Amino acid sequence: MSGYERGRIMSKLADLVEQHTEELAALDGADAGKLVLLGKIIDIPAATQMLRYYAGAADKIHGEVLRVSGKYQGYTLKEPVGVVGVIIPWNFPTMMFFLKVSPALAAGCTVVVKPAEQTPLSALYYAHLAKLAGVPDGVINVVPGFGPTAGAALTSHMDVDSVAFTGSTEVGRLIMESAARSNLKMVSLELGGKSPLIVFDDADVDMAVNLSRLAIFYNKGEVCVAGSRVYVQEGIYDEFVKKAVEAAQNWKVGDPFDVTTNMGPQVDKDQFERVLKYIEHGKSEGATLLTGGKPAADKGYYIEPTIFVDVTEDMKIAQEEIFGPVMSLMKFRSVDEVIEKANCTKYGLAAGIVTKSLDIANRVSRSVRAGTVWVNCYYAFDPDAPFGGYKMSGFGRDQGLAAMDKYLQVKSVITALPDSPWY
């Protein structure tokens, strides 16, 4: 199929997704405990924007003409890699589906998607809508199942040419091992994070507090780029701490189908218990719990927004990804000190900087080892902005035109020109 035809079908799929926003937001809300209102105004619109972005790119895949020395003509072709295995997590079922599937379809690949076992419903609905949009049979395949069975079958399959994965660093390792043991399939990984949000003395404190609350408590902290380590410069630290506690206590935890709710439940019992266990680690290692730290209801997997201070870099809550509503709030003095602290984890997915100084913003954004740096904002995603990690946060990029490179092979074609009048 031509790139133009693929783009037309992808655009039709985007229209169908948009038309079914209510149902899709409800499915993700029921499956993952996500706020249904935010699903309707953020997740589903972001998915359709992603689809349309890559629909526009489908007929703009170009090779290059090469200046080959000697009596030859050379050019490159960009060809679809083939069958792509897509394994996505449970925290953003809709956005992650289209983050991987959209560029793969634009490139001309077929995909086999394994959604997280906790959240398969919207992925199955997207397969249904793809059929209605005219996507040929076998191009988008959704196979629900567990990681050790369905996921392992996909990553080890000899007819799968590439795997695109978003999830934990531990599972990312297993996928690389499986790919190496089978057919050396291409792998791209977007893994965990322990992202720092750095607030300097010149920041607007109220704005910075609201940004820090959003950065860690949005989607109940179940975000790979959650701003879980908040560094505040000493000049505004005391004021910031006081206001941050008040802001956390005003963050309403409750039914994700209630439009007044700010934060729903953790995705399941395992994640609920994991977060509470990390909170206990924080207390036992000597951090001071200022607010939250316990279940927010008698039933269900609700956890109060939690803030720790007196956190040191060697504590579990400062080094390991919690994936829950737990903020570690720390003080710093100088730019050099906070750069060192920001880089002291094994992760490098994202970072935030809050300052009015262009010099500080430029210096810190170039010094922090992270794939995305937000200055005076957070969660500012766009289909045109490449997204991915440094260090143990993975490799390869989603979003942007560069994301299509994961789904394309480059072929050089050299043709003899024995009688050309010039070379």
Side-chain angles (χ1 to χ4, degrees):
M1 187 177 288
S2 70
Y4 172 71
E5 246 345 274
R6 291 198 301 274
R8 285 187 64 189
I9 290 174
M10 292 171 67
S11 294
K12 187 174 180 181
L13 176 56
D15 292 342
L16 287 170
V17 171
E18 203 166 57
Q19 290 166 23
H20 292 81
T21 294
E22 292 282 342
E23 303 100 296
L24 291 161
L27 287 176
D28 283 347
D31 253 358
K34 295 174 65 66
L35 300 188
V36 174
L37 176 61
L38 294 189
K40 290 191 283 189
I41 65 176
I42 297 177
D43 294 42
I44 311 302
T48 57
Q49 184 185 8
M50 191 75 64
L51 257 175
R52 288 172 177 140
Y53 176 89
Y54 286 107
D59 60 355
K60 300 171 184 67
I61 300 170
H62 305 295
E64 296 178 307
V65 176
L66 308 174
R67 293 294 294 181
V68 181
S69 60
K71 298 180 179 183
Y72 304 99
Q73 170 184 287
Y75 61 92
T76 62
L77 296 172
K78 289 189 175 181
E79 300 180 346
V81 71
V83 180
V84 179
V86 173
I87 302 176
I88 54 175
W90 40 258
N91 57 335
F92 288 93
T94 287
M95 293 169 73
M96 290 296 163
F97 185 96
F98 288 107
L99 190 70
K100 310 289 190 188
V101 169
S102 302
L105 292 181
C109 296
T110 61
V111 295
V112 181
V113 182
K114 192 207 86 68
E117 58 267 26
Q118 297 90 340
T119 55
L121 296 182
S122 59
L124 291 166
Y125 204 105
Y126 291 127
H128 163 66
L129 294 180
K131 177 83 169 175
L132 297 181
V135 175
D137 289 350
V139 172
I140 296 179
N141 310 276
V142 176
V143 183
F146 294 92
T149 48
L154 196 55
T155 60
S156 63
H157 201 290
M158 297 299 288
D159 292 328
V160 172
D161 302 289
S162 177
V163 171
F165 170 74
T166 293
S168 71
T169 300
E170 293 74 21
V171 175
R173 286 182 188 275
L174 295 175
I175 289 172
M176 288 190 71
E177 291 174 9
S178 181
R181 290 196 181 102
S182 53
N183 59 345
L184 285 174
K185 56 180 62 68
M186 297 164 58
V187 175
S188 63
L189 304 175
E190 192 262 284
L191 307 175
K194 196 68 182 173
S195 302
L197 175 61
I198 306 166
V199 183
F200 288 90
D201 277 343
D202 65 344
D204 180 309
V205 175
D206 291 332
M207 184 273 275
V209 166
N210 287 331
L211 207 58
S212 69
R213 179 174 67 174
L214 176 71
I216 185 59
F217 300 138
Y218 173 69
N219 205 56
K220 51 257 179 41
E222 294 174 348
V223 189
C224 54
V225 293
S228 52
R229 295 184 294 143
V230 180
Y231 293 97
V232 181
Q233 202 162 14
E234 59 185 359
I236 59 170
Y237 178 81
D238 291 341
E239 179 186 1
F240 187 99
V241 169
K242 179 183 177 183
K243 290 185 174 181
V245 170
E246 292 173 358
Q249 291 171 346
N250 290 329
W251 197 249
K252 182 182 175 183
V253 182
D255 181 356
F257 283 76
D258 182 344
V259 296
T260 67
T261 296
N262 298 121
M263 193 170 89
Q266 309 309 127
V267 69
D268 60 13
K269 184 180 180 181
D270 287 346
Q271 188 61 22
F272 174 75
E273 292 176 347
R274 171 187 167 93
V275 174
L276 291 176
K277 186 176 180 180
Y278 270 109
I279 290 170
E280 290 307 309
H281 279 307
K283 291 190 284 189
S284 65
E285 289 184 336
T288 302
L289 179 64
L290 289 187
T291 188
K294 60 184 186 295
D298 295 332
K299 61 180 181 178
Y301 305 132
Y302 300 90
I303 296 177
E304 294 176 343
T306 300
I307 298 178
F308 281 103
V309 293
D310 301 321
V311 179
T312 57
E313 268 65 33
D314 59 342
M315 293 180 180
K316 278 183 180 288
I317 59 171
Q319 287 294 319
E320 299 182 12
E321 185 176 43
I322 299 173
F323 228 59
V326 182
M327 178 193 295
S328 293
L329 190 46
M330 295 166 275
K331 186 192 299 186
F332 73 93
R333 290 184 178 179
S334 68
V335 174
D336 287 337
E337 176 195 358
V338 79
I339 289 171
E340 182 179 352
K341 289 182 174 182
N343 287 328
C344 78
T345 75
K346 63 185 179 182
Y347 298 111
L349 196 53
I353 302 166
V354 186
T355 181
K356 295 175 183 174
S357 168
L358 187 59
D359 290 341
I360 289 176
N362 284 334
R363 179 181 172 191
V364 177
S365 62
R366 284 162 170 75
S367 301
V368 173
R369 298 196 65 208
T372 298
V373 178
W374 290 299
V375 180
N376 296 327
C377 58
Y378 213 86
Y379 295 137
F381 289 103
D382 189 87
D384 203 40
F387 174 71
Y390 285 28
K391 300 189 285 186
M392 291 181 71
S393 289
F395 51 84
R397 292 294 180 268
D398 293 314
Q399 300 186 154
L401 294 178
M404 293 179 65
D405 292 340
K406 297 188 297 187
Y407 308 108
L408 294 166
Q409 290 277 25
V410 178
K411 176 183 288 182
S412 294
V413 180
I414 312 296
T415 305
L417 291 177
D419 299 317
S420 176
W422 57 271
Y423 299 105

